[in-house]
Amino acid sequence: MSPQTTDLLIVIQWGFLFYFAALNTGYLILNVVSFFNIRHYMDAQVLSELPRTYTAFKPPISILVPAYNEEATITASVRSLLQLAYDQFEVIVINDGSKDDTLEALRREFQLEPFPEAYWVKLPTQPVRAIWRSRIHPNLRVIDKDNGGKADALNAGINASRYPLFCAVDADSVLQRNSLQLIVEPFIEDSRTIAAGGTIRIVNGCTVKEGFLVSVGLPEKWLPLLQIVEYLRAFLFGRMGWSALNAMLVISGAFGLFRKTSVIEVGGYRTGTVGEDMELVVRLHRHHRKRRIPYRIVFVPNPICWTEAPESLAVLKAQRVRWQRGLSESLSMNMGLLFSGNGGWISWGAFPFTLLFEWFGVFVELAGYVFMIAGFGLGIVSGQALFAFALVSVALGVLLSVSALVLEEMSFHLYPRYSDLARLFLAAVLENFGYRQMILYWRFIGMLRWMFGPEGHWGAMPRSASWQSRL
Amino acid sequence: MVSAAFSDSIIRYAAWTGLAMLVLIVLMLFQVARLRYALRDRAEQEKHFLELWRPLLMQELSGIRTPLPQLKSGEEEPFLKLWNHLQDTLRGPAHQYLNDVAVRCGMAEHAQRLLRQGGLRSKLLGLATLGHLGEHSVWNEIVEMTRDPDSILSMAALGSLLKIDAPQALRELLPRMIEREDWPVAQLAILIEEAGEHSSFSFLMDAAERMESASEPEELARLRRALHLLEVVPPQKALPVVRHIMKSATDEEVLAQCLRFLIEPSDLPEVRRMTEHAAWAVRLQAAQALSRIGSLEDVPVLSKLLGDPVWWVRYRSAQALVSLARGDGAVLDRIREQIDDRLGRDMLTMAMVEGGKT
């Protein structure tokens, strides 16, 4: 082997090692921060368990439900939303030019009648065709508009909303009766709060009755089970850690609460993106940091929203490709946040971390796999080296998942049986053998689609809703 | 086979790192199992505890004194949780019965120990307990805790002091309540209300009145917080202070807050004047005040506000018109016909439908 090749290999080797060390240091810090934060949160809960009433001071909330071809599930979703335990709220369904009978289903079920709304265009959207209000639930309105995508639908909902806080909810989200009570707390506790997101859990395997979760369980199928481990990791030490540093970059579109004036100030949701939820949060950070406006974007660790995970590879692939595109759009559109003077943890921590490890990391990780496998094939990477690095990679993956299980046990311990824990651990091990590599490949495709593909549109996901059949 | 890409030392290092991680995984799994076991154990213990103690406490609450068993080690927390729960739920002489039980079980001393030795969870439980017990001997320690940067702990300390001695707590801590922005005003107001101490009204009114000449941003922020707190005072009592503040106030938020208190027709001239204010938040509150205290004489003023550039002012004005017309659809139709502005007409139509007046 020529000296130049050897030098090149040494550079590559140190590049990978540096990347690996930086990534793990980041995860370690997040883990430690999450550990202390979750302990503090759980300790503080001891008084929340006592009967206290803050009802008179809870700000009213507008729940926005964008719907596109949701004919089959929309009425059940809205019915459950109308039963949420909260003093004052309204539900606004935005029918984004559905091609099916979404509007008709709503009209029948809730006795909708035309409403002479003095519609205020705070955010530009596709034309609104009509606004309806329920005769039996005066706090339910439906906006029927031309198709413009999820972000456009949410903007129309913001325009029609009456209350200072709005809650963006996916039409298929399963909430708990007290979800609004829990997620509004950061707004009551600190007037600087402009957005809050809760833990999203996977509903596959659980029992849902009349739109509400009644018991928690694990799915029989492996694909959603593997995603449960992923969600635990992402929420319990990812978002929890960044939230403690006021540097959380994502609030899931499935359930998030926002201060309306702050969102309008930044121009609402950005249309033409597939990651409108993340992009909005990143833009809110950028806006407030740039203008030095004190603010907080908060993560509520309580599991307050449940969503269905894809059960087929094709649907999972579409979801992950979309997520990676969304991530790419959100970061690239807000590059001004990177290392900005007044940026704090968001500019010097979360943003570069996400950029390097979740965005650009796709290429590095993929290159790592190719290098190791090709190197082994070409004889420049020994069997021992391949084994040693595979061991580290798998062990780290399992370690991170198991640390999420520890945080789960410290906090909500939702999965009741020992066998559930055993299955989750097994999933944490197995995901390293094929699943993670598959997800990495789909993220790579997402990057390519972002670079070369057409503009994004509604990320409709076919649902099996198997949990719904257990009514 | 010798690796060209990685030196032996790096491979060895990687292998050892991997093995170390495997050991960590095993340790963490043990931790998960331990936590789960402890959780089951605790749940079982709490179940047995409740089966024994709930009936005993209920008996005590009905005034029947019975010999109480010794609390076992580890039962202090479930006891205090149940005890505090009952204290927060019950009214009347039940508090005294419960306090008596806590003293007999040695919980007054235990709560003090929690305050001094425990972590956040213990401290919070200790504060809640000492508050219900009205334990004056730890006053200074708890006052010190209100200075803690952790707002959860400091607020709990404040709540405890308000329960022990509300007038003294307000006398000593009202400035801090107005000062500390991390103490949510809404929760402070609830704590004051819960304290049920009517003498607090005078403290609050004095505090607000003293700040009437606020002009610097920090002073104005404090005045706004004081006005928020003043909302726990019955409006009739607060009115003289509010009127006094309004006379000299120029800050739009302060003016808007003051308008929320006005409930007497004698304030109508001031309210009508405020409908012309440059700040929309003030015009909005003026419209709402007119819906409370105005009359049909105010229809022209409100009709004019229906043409306001701000949607919310138009909306509240339309609601005020619906309210003043007292459900008379014919009156509202006449008002609507006289409105030239299309946006204003649309707004009134919407408010009429919402109010069921069409």
Side-chain angles (χ1 to χ4, degrees), chain A residues 38-60:
Chain A
I38 215 156
R39 210 172 65 168
H40 183 270
Y41 182 85
M42 296 312 292
D43 278 354
Q45 293 299 301
V46 70
L47 289 190
S48 314
E49 290 159 14
L50 298 176
R52 294 189 168 270
T53 47
Y54 294 129
T55 48
F57 296 97
K58 281 190 171 155

Side-chain angles (χ1 to χ4, degrees), chain A residues 13 40 118 162 409 415-416, chain B residues 5 10 36 40 150 311-312 354:
Chain A
Q13 162 196 315
H40 183 270
R162 298 278 163 81
E409 274 309 298
Y415 300 102
Chain B
I10 286 178
R36 177 57 62 98
R40 289 263 164 107
D150 185 332
W311 189 92
W312 277 103
E354 280 185 344

Side-chain angles (χ1 to χ4, degrees), chain A residues 18 22 39 52 93 143 175 205 207 217 226 238 244 248 282 318 321 328 414 431 450:
Chain A
F18 177 75
R39 210 172 65 168
R52 294 189 168 270
V93 182
I143 301 174
L175 304 182
T207 312
L226 294 168
M248 187 172 65
V282 180
V321 167
S328 308
L414 288 180
E431 69 164 349
W450 167 66

Side-chain angles (χ1 to χ4, degrees), chain A residues 80-108:
Chain A
S80 66
L81 288 174
L82 288 167
Q83 290 172 48
L84 287 174
Y86 199 75
D87 278 350
Q88 201 181 356
F89 69 97
E90 60 176 358
V91 178
I92 301 175
V93 182
I94 309 103
N95 178 41
D96 191 46
S98 295
K99 293 182 182 124
D100 66 358
D101 275 342
T102 299
L103 181 63
E104 199 45 48
L106 287 164
R107 279 177 60 181
R108 266 197 313 272

Side-chain angles (χ1 to χ4, degrees), chain B residues 250-284:
Chain B
T250 50
D251 179 66
E252 54 194 64
E253 210 175 311
V254 169
L255 280 171
Q257 276 181 288
C258 289
L259 281 163
R260 290 158 61 105
F261 287 85
L262 303 184
I263 50 158
E264 289 180 0
S266 59
D267 292 307
L268 268 172
E270 186 64 6
V271 173
R272 285 172 189 148
R273 200 171 65 81
M274 289 295 167
T275 60
E276 306 278 344
H277 199 277
W280 71 268
V282 178
R283 296 198 301 276
L284 182 141

Side-chain angles (χ1 to χ4, degrees), chain A residues 196-247:
Chain A
T199 302
I200 311 292
R201 295 291 182 105
I202 287 176
V203 76
N204 309 47
C206 300
T207 312
V208 175
K209 197 173 178 186
E210 290 167 2
F212 291 104
L213 189 90
V214 287
S215 73
V216 178
L218 289 177
E220 301 290 322
K221 294 181 183 169
W222 278 96
L223 202 55
L225 187 68
L226 294 168
Q227 291 171 73
I228 287 178
V229 175
E230 270 187 304
Y231 272 56
L232 283 177
R233 247 189 348 250
F235 283 94
L236 283 180
F237 83 73
R239 294 191 195 176
M240 188 83 205
W242 288 125
S243 168
L245 306 166
N246 197 24

